[in-house]
Amino acid sequence: MGLFDLFEARRREVRRKEALRDAGNVLTGLATGLALGGAIGLLFAPQSGEETREDIKDFYDTKKKEVQVGYNKTKKAVSEKTRELIANAKDSVDALTTNLLESADEALDTVEEKIDEAKEGADRATEKAKTAAKNATAKAKEKVEEAKEEKASEKETTKETK
């Protein structure tokens, strides 16, 4: 599960809240309609007051039970969906954490490999520099010896010519 899944879960949560808000509006409209219908029914009822009150009480009790059942179903569905979303979010966070830790370990291994390669390269360069310095020293000594010999030879030549 990745970042996309987290965004998808958030989008589903927003849609669920909108659906609940719409359901609340429907229930409000239903209750308003019931109240207006009951009031109009009272005004035009051909029954006696006692019978009308009994019908209203029965009607009210029936609708009250229906609304309570609908509320309980909705509450249960929301609760289950919330638990499911929380579990999915935890799984997503766990998966994301695991991926991040694995990526960090891989990056650390790569850095350590590059450091080792750089050390090996530096050691090789040091050895080459030492070898070059020894060779240069040896050549310089040869040149010094050649110069000494040449100077000695010049001195002998100068002595002989005198």
Side-chain angles (χ1 to χ4, degrees):
M1 299 208 148
L3 192 56
F4 176 76
D5 294 328
L6 291 175
F7 286 125
E8 184 64 24
R10 176 69 178 134
R11 188 176 58 82
R12 283 192 303 259
E13 179 67 17
V14 168
R15 273 197 262 151
R16 182 189 62 78
K17 286 181 181 178
E18 289 173 354
L20 287 176
R21 187 176 47 239
D22 291 345
N25 291 340
V26 168
L27 289 176
T28 302
L30 178 65
T32 303
L34 291 174
L36 288 174
I40 290 172
L42 284 176
L43 293 175
F44 296 104
Q47 302 172 352
S48 70
E50 183 68 29
E51 290 174 357
T52 302
R53 285 190 292 275
E54 188 64 32
D55 287 347
I56 291 172
K57 183 180 180 298
D58 291 344
F59 178 78
Y60 173 77
D61 289 342
T62 302
K63 294 306 173 186
K64 180 180 173 183
K65 288 178 185 175
E66 288 175 6
V67 169
Q68 188 66 37
V69 167
Y71 171 78
N72 289 337
K73 284 181 182 178
T74 303
K75 182 179 175 183
K76 183 178 178 182
V78 167
S79 179
E80 289 174 5
K81 191 65 174 176
T82 300
R83 279 193 291 276
E84 179 184 319
L85 288 172
I86 289 171
N88 288 342
K90 285 180 181 178
D91 290 345
S92 295
V93 168
D94 289 344
L96 185 60
T97 301
T98 300
N99 287 341
L100 286 173
L101 289 174
E102 288 173 358
S103 295
D105 286 342
E106 289 174 9
L108 184 59
D109 290 344
T110 301
V111 167
E112 287 173 349
E113 288 173 9
K114 294 299 180 185
I115 288 171
D116 290 342
E117 289 174 8
K119 284 180 181 178
E120 290 171 5
D123 289 344
R124 285 193 301 271
T126 301
E127 287 301 317
K128 283 183 180 179
K130 285 179 182 178
T131 302
K134 285 179 184 177
N135 290 340
T137 302
K139 282 186 179 182
K141 285 182 180 177
E142 284 178 21
K143 293 290 183 180
V144 168
E145 287 300 318
E146 287 177 9
K148 284 181 183 178
E149 288 176 9
E150 195 175 297
K151 184 91 169 173
S153 173
E154 283 179 9
K155 279 185 181 181
E156 280 184 33
T157 309
T158 309
K159 282 185 184 178
E160 289 176 10
T161 52
K162 284 186 179 177

